[in-house]
Amino acid sequence: MSPRPEEAAMRREVVKRIETVIKDLWPTADVQIFGSFSTGLYLPTSDIDLVVFGKWERPPLQLLEQALRKHNVAEPYSIKVLDKATVPIIKLTDQETEVKVDISFNVETGVKAARFIKEYMKKYSLLPYLILVLKQFLLQRDLNEVFTGGISSYSLILMAISFLQLHPRIDARRADENLGMLLIEFFELYGRNFNYLKTGIRIKNGGAYIAKEEIMKVMTNGYRPSMLCIEDPLLPGNDVGRSSYGAMQVKQVFDYAYIVLSHAVSPLARSYPNRDSESTLGRIIKVTQEVIDYRAWIKKKWGSKINLSPELDNRLKIRDSIALCNGEQQQNRDSEPSYNQHLALSLANTQQLSSGSSASSVSSLSSSDIHSGMKFSMKGTHNQGNGYSPVNSGGMRQPVGNRGHHQYNRNIWRRKKHRDSLPISLSR
């Protein structure tokens, strides 16, 4: 599900169309991209986030809305003005591509956050691989948005950064670490070992797990630390996870994923093969045929317009070098393997680890032992000593948050029937 050059080209066209309308209204306005498209950590169905900087007493939401309708940039019924929101925005769906776009005014926090994430992507070359798989995992369970009971992309990225910062066994700055093992360890940490009641996450100054009582001392406006408490590295006193009221549901599906994957890579898995999935990663992640057709349509239409940015070109080079470290054939470089395809290879390699190898188990993480006694108690990637046995997991029910892999419930591509150039499955 990693971004392809033609998908980036398509999104740049969407931004250019909207920017043209904005510049017609306000020639001196500055339009900037932030969010997942800015960092490159976007899925095929991800939104584009834009912010317009200019001199207005109040955000001119209605004026821009009228201009967008006049120029037929967006589908007529898709434009919504949310002027009562904490951050007033315009939401729309692009007429030609059906890419969803959010437009805000004079809000600098998103741009700063994108810059912050890019810095950590340079520091941890494995971060994009981990994030894209986790975003896909949450997306297909409708847990990738705060208003659907999930967590925001920014919260997920900060959780992953903290996980890599504080990993007691590996140096996450290395590009040749086993990604499959890291994914299982991430699910183990946030699915069963992290103490959500007492512990908060801090990113700055090298990262730390910190007691919520300490975080509350610097919080503003009388707020208390939330269940998923993540200290904002850019805005002291702000709890990034404050709006994530469904954080425990996310914890539940993380625990589910840990059990499924640790079972899949255990020696017993060879005796009980999963015939419903072609790969280990396929046990928890599915990609619908509809999305595959959509990506094929994008490649057909924008494949000839590819113009790689230096940043994207550098990420592709990093991806190829990591693939070579894992013994992939040179010819696979031309097939543009996705982040999660590489992760699937790492998961396969995880089965070959000896039973004495370690995996992440940050025990309890209560406020009294945040910085001490953090050890990897796990042998291999199974048998936690907590009563779980892979053999007995056959009757395990998926958590409520798992929608049976029916992804994109809110992102069905409602193509107009007269668009014959679109895939048939996308024209319904």
Side-chain angles (χ1 to χ4, degrees), residues 141-152 243-251 403:
R141 291 162 173 82
D142 282 341
L143 294 174
N144 63 315
E145 299 282 1
V146 171
F147 63 84
T148 61
I151 60 176
S152 67
S243 301
S244 302
Y245 63 89
M248 289 299 95
Q249 195 170 359
V250 174
K251 173 187 181 296
R403 316 293 189 193

Side-chain angles (χ1 to χ4, degrees), residues 95-110:
Q95 179 87 356
E96 183 177 349
T97 64
E98 289 218 352
V99 172
K100 291 174 172 55
V101 183
D102 291 348
I103 306 173
S104 58
F105 289 85
N106 292 337
V107 180
E108 296 183 358
T109 53

Side-chain angles (χ1 to χ4, degrees), residues 137-375:
F137 174 79
L138 292 178
L139 170 64
Q140 68 191 44
R141 291 162 173 82
D142 282 341
L143 294 174
N144 63 315
E145 299 282 1
V146 171
F147 63 84
T148 61
I151 60 176
S152 67
S153 293
Y154 190 40
S155 294
L156 181 66
I157 291 171
L158 293 181
M159 291 170 71
I161 290 174
S162 174
F163 166 72
L164 295 176
Q165 281 180 321
L166 301 176
H167 200 297
R169 179 173 56 83
I170 65 139
D171 181 0
R173 291 170 294 185
R174 294 178 54 184
D176 58 348
E177 291 293 340
N178 188 307
L179 279 166
M181 182 66 76
L182 281 177
L183 179 65
I184 294 175
E185 291 170 349
F186 179 93
F187 286 138
E188 181 193 14
L189 172 61
Y190 291 114
R192 51 177 52 195
N193 290 332
F194 187 79
N195 191 332
Y196 289 86
L197 291 175
K198 297 182 179 180
T199 310
I201 295 172
R202 172 173 287 173
I203 301 296
K204 63 183 182 181
N205 301 326
Y209 297 121
I210 183 168
K212 287 186 177 181
E213 288 81 0
E214 293 297 318
I215 294 179
M216 189 165 60
K217 293 178 182 178
V218 297
M219 293 189 72
T220 58
N221 300 325
Y223 285 115
R224 297 177 60 85
S226 61
M227 182 62 74
L228 175 59
C229 181
I230 306 174
E231 187 180 67
D232 193 337
L234 301 176
L235 190 62
N238 181 46
D239 180 2
V240 176
R242 186 174 67 221
S243 301
S244 302
Y245 63 89
M248 289 299 95
Q249 195 170 359
V250 174
K251 173 187 181 296
Q252 191 180 18
V253 297
F254 281 169
D255 184 39
Y256 161 76
Y258 167 71
I259 294 173
V260 170
L261 291 182
S262 59
H263 175 210
V265 300
S266 71
L268 287 174
R270 299 176 183 176
S271 302
Y272 300 92
N274 186 342
R275 304 186 186 278
D276 296 330
S277 177
E278 295 180 359
S279 68
T280 303
L281 192 59
R283 296 174 184 233
I284 62 168
I285 289 180
K286 305 291 182 183
V287 180
T288 65
Q289 186 61 43
E290 188 175 39
V291 173
I292 294 172
D293 291 342
Y294 179 59
R295 301 191 86 185
W297 174 75
I298 295 173
K299 186 171 185 178
K300 181 179 179 181
K301 188 167 183 178
W302 279 273
S304 60
K305 303 178 183 180
I306 294 174
N307 182 19
L308 285 179
S309 66
E311 192 172 326
L312 178 59
D313 186 48
N314 183 55
R315 285 200 299 273
L316 292 174
K317 289 178 180 178
I318 291 174
R319 182 179 66 187
D320 290 341
S321 65
I322 296 178
L324 290 176
C325 287
N326 280 273
E328 290 188 58
Q329 298 297 323
Q330 180 73 20
Q331 61 192 23
N332 287 344
R333 298 179 62 182
D334 298 327
S335 63
E336 297 182 359
S338 64
Y339 287 121
N340 53 320
Q341 285 175 329
H342 171 67
L343 192 70
L345 292 173
S346 298
L347 282 164
N349 294 337
T350 304
Q351 295 182 351
Q352 301 171 6
L353 296 176
S354 65
S355 60
S357 62
S358 298
S360 80
S361 179
V362 186
S363 57
S364 77
L365 291 175
S366 66
S367 57
S368 62
D369 61 4
I370 293 171
H371 296 289
S372 63
M374 293 198 301
K375 299 180 181 179

Side-chain angles (χ1 to χ4, degrees), residues 78-103:
S78 72
I79 304 181
K80 296 180 181 179
V81 176
L82 306 181
D83 54 355
K84 303 298 182 183
T86 305
V87 178
I89 62 171
I90 296 175
K91 298 180 75 71
L92 62 92
T93 302
D94 180 65
Q95 179 87 356
E96 183 177 349
T97 64
E98 289 218 352
V99 172
K100 291 174 172 55
V101 183
D102 291 348
I103 306 173

